[in-house]
Amino acid sequence: MVIDMIEELQVGVITQTHGIRGEVKVFPTTDDVNRFKKLKEVILDNGKERLNLTIEGVKFFKQFVILKFKNYDSINDIEKYKNAKLLVPREKAVRLKKDEYFIADLIGMKVVTEDGTILGCLKDVLETGANDVYVVQTEEKKEILLPAIKECILKVDMDAAVMTVHLMDGLL
């Protein structure tokens, strides 16, 4: 089972407008909000239409990013894009370090124990602050929560779409 790599990665979601000059408040879905400073373009996808937008300005406010797009100069131009996803093509994504993965690439992976027993499928990744937690759904539709730490996640084989894990005491 090989998972197709998603061609676009989500970097944020427009939550609301900001002021009257066409700025939007964006909830970032990337682990490094400073990446927005280097970002020149995004793809806006609201489910009905997809637009390639040029970023003209970036500011930060609390946990949000305030973006200004070229040619969107009033609240009326941008208001209809509330809740739209902001995407970047994979080739424009942040370079990952060793043992780092995009969440979108992990979802759907088969999860097996070190002895080869199939645990289930990786359904979700919870970002907790200290470390991520992988949500594995078993065939019986139960959930197993695994901390994304070296002692627990032994190997991630992206080509085979298989994650090998060590079940630490108390995880089941």
Side-chain angles (χ1 to χ4, degrees), residues 13-17 24-27 64 81-84:
V13 177
I14 295 176
T15 60
Q16 60 190 33
T17 58
V24 290
K25 193 181 282 187
V26 174
F27 179 77
F64 295 98
Y81 298 121
K82 284 182 191 172
N83 300 318

Side-chain angles (χ1 to χ4, degrees), residues 56-147:
E56 206 172 69
V58 178
K59 296 187 279 192
F60 299 96
F61 177 72
K62 297 184 180 173
Q63 79 268 32
F64 295 98
V65 180
I66 309 297
L67 294 182
K68 168 77 176 76
F69 301 115
K70 187 175 183 180
N71 299 327
Y72 289 83
D73 298 319
S74 86
I75 189 171
N76 299 329
D77 296 339
I78 204 75
E79 190 166 37
K80 61 185 171 187
Y81 298 121
K82 284 182 191 172
N83 300 318
K85 296 177 185 175
L86 297 179
L87 311 167
V88 295
R90 181 176 285 276
E91 63 270 9
K92 297 245 170 98
V94 177
R95 297 283 167 245
L96 297 175
K97 298 179 187 120
K98 183 180 181 333
D99 295 330
E100 284 186 338
Y101 307 95
F102 291 116
I103 291 173
D105 295 339
L106 295 174
I107 303 296
M109 276 194 153
K110 181 164 67 170
V111 180
V112 300
T113 61
E114 54 205 321
D115 66 7
T117 305
I118 297 173
L119 270 186
C121 181
L122 188 70
K123 185 177 109 181
D124 198 3
V125 177
L126 307 175
E127 298 175 72
T128 64
N131 56 267
D132 290 348
V133 175
Y134 294 161
V135 180
V136 179
Q137 186 171 42
T138 66
E139 300 235 341
E140 298 81 33
K141 302 291 184 223
K142 291 190 165 115
E143 288 185 350
I144 300 170
L145 302 178
L146 302 174

Side-chain angles (χ1 to χ4, degrees), residues 3-15:
I3 297 174
D4 287 334
M5 292 286 187
I6 295 170
E7 294 304 312
E8 298 164 342
L9 301 167
Q10 184 175 310
V11 293
V13 177
I14 295 176
T15 60

Side-chain angles (χ1 to χ4, degrees), residues 153-164:
I153 309 303
L154 302 179
K155 182 179 176 195
V156 176
D157 184 338
M158 295 303 290
D159 295 328
V162 175
M163 180 181 293
T164 306

